[in-house]
Every structure is written in C-alpha cells, then in structure tokens.
Amino acid sequence: MSDNMKHDRALVRGLYDAPMSGSAIERRSFEIIDREAGPHQFSRPEWEVVRRMIHTTADMGIMTDIRFSPDAIDSAVGALRSGKPLYVDSHMIRSGLSLDRLRAVCPDYGPERVVCHVADEDVSADARAQNLPRSLFAVRKARPILDRGIAVFGNAPAALLELNRMIIEEDLRPAVVIGMPVGFVHVVESKQELMTTGAPHVILTGRRGGSPLAVSVIHALCTVAQWQ
C-alpha cells in the first residue's frame, strides 16, 4: 500500500463515532440528490422515479435522458394497485424486486406474479431452432400476462423489439412498459420504437439501462402508489 493510502485510523471509525442507520443514510442521499439536481420540470411522481434511479447509479445525467409518456404513472399505479402481473426480462430483475414493496401496494402479490421465461426449456429450444435470442421467445410466451400487465426490460433489447411488434401487429396493450435494456446492439432503436407505439412507458434513452435501474423504477412506482 502506498504511503498516501495509509491510515492510522480506519475510516469506518467515523461511522462508529456518529452512527447512522441504513435508512438514515438513504434519506441523506436523497437530500443530496434533491440539492444537486436543483430546479426541474418533473412532476412529484416522476421525480420519485428519477431520484430513485439516480440513487441507484449516482448518475445525475439520468435527468436529461429519462422519458415518461403522459399516462405512464397513472397507468402503472393502477396496475400495481390491481395486482397485475409483472413480466421481467431477466432473473436478476426478478430477484431484485421486493415482494414486500409490491405487497404494500396490493396484498395479492406473490412470487408467481413476477414472471420470467428466459430460462424455460421450450424457450431455449425455440431459440436454438431459429437462431434468435431466447429473450425474444420468452416475451412471446408471456403474451397472456402482458395484456394489461407490467412489462419490465432492463437487459434484452431483442425482447423489447418483440414486445413492440406485438403492440404494433397484435394490438397488445400492456399497462406500462419500463424500457431500459442496456448495450450496443438494437438498444437505442428498441427504445425509440417503443416511444412510437402509444403504449404507456418509462424509458431511459440511449445505450444506458440495466436490471438495477429497472428494479428501481418499479420500487419508486410502488412508493407513488401508496401516496394517494
């Protein structure tokens, strides 16, 4: 360890001396975000979503790249209060979502209402047979729960492209689409197309995204759903 990295006293001792709980640290974090963000044009519910995303990433640039359709918040809140199923494009999202937060909005929520088909055997077989991503067949399999359900994408742009096709060609009507796949191939265009479909949506434009961000949006929407 270099001399400038050495400490006579471990930094955590400062926390021992002035204890802060996890919830207190979170509150202070949100205070910092609110202060550094300054004036903005987001509604109170939209800001709850945006600040939760910033808290997840420490990235204030999210403020310029987030997009809400006019009906996104109301439609999402209504779906959560009704206990509508969530289709998620990765098991990381499924693991990250808090059932306690969901149940605080609607007691009917259980593990069976958070669905991910990407590892299903029939989905894998179809993907191998047609040389296409598993995520595409996974979202196709989820069609019965996607009508008036909640679609959450934090990983797979091909899955979002397939959802867009189902909206455009099959009149699928999800309650809300959280469109935050991440990467370099099909990512930007999948989000741009979603914005043209008329489906209620929350989108992070550009290449950024990821499962943690998608989870943070659902958790923030659960908070909003408990306000009214």
Side-chain angles (χ1 to χ4, degrees), residues 70-151:
D71 51 353
I73 298 291
D74 287 345
S75 188
V77 165
L80 287 167
R81 288 177 176 167
S82 299
K84 296 295 186 182
L86 293 88
Y87 180 75
V88 302
D89 73 338
S90 72
H91 283 288
M92 184 179 293
I93 295 177
R94 194 171 190 272
S95 298
L97 285 172
S98 166
L99 285 177
D100 287 342
R101 289 180 188 262
L102 290 167
R103 286 173 177 150
V105 179
C106 178
D108 294 338
Y109 274 113
E112 73 284 352
R113 296 207 183 186
V114 182
V115 178
C116 182
H117 290 312
V118 74
D120 291 4
E121 289 185 9
D122 56 339
V123 166
S124 297
D126 287 341
R128 288 192 300 271
Q130 298 190 43
N131 194 32
L132 288 167
R134 287 181 300 160
S135 61
L136 186 153
F137 295 97
V139 75
R140 189 179 295 176
K141 182 176 179 178
R143 196 197 193 292
I145 68 167
L146 284 168
D147 241 337
R148 308 303 173 188
I150 300 167

Side-chain angles (χ1 to χ4, degrees), residues 68-72 148 151 153 159-179 188-203:
F68 297 89
S69 66
D71 51 353
R148 308 303 173 188
F153 297 89
L160 182 53
L161 285 173
E162 180 64 7
L163 181 84
N164 294 343
R165 183 197 66 77
M166 293 160 71
I167 294 170
I168 294 166
E169 297 180 1
E170 300 178 7
D171 202 31
L172 181 73
R173 289 294 176 262
V176 68
V177 183
I178 310 305
V188 173
E189 53 265 45
S190 69
K191 298 172 182 180
Q192 290 174 337
E193 184 179 52
L194 174 59
M195 286 190 283
T196 71
T197 64
H201 59 260
V202 182
I203 293 172

Side-chain angles (χ1 to χ4, degrees), residues 198-216:
H201 59 260
V202 182
I203 293 172
L204 185 64
T205 60
R207 293 172 168 174
R208 288 181 299 169
S211 296
L213 275 172
V215 168
S216 74

Side-chain angles (χ1 to χ4, degrees), residues 49-60:
V49 173
V50 174
R51 74 205 288 255
R52 176 66 65 176
M53 293 173 69
I54 293 171
H55 181 260
T56 299
T57 60
D59 183 358
M60 301 296 289

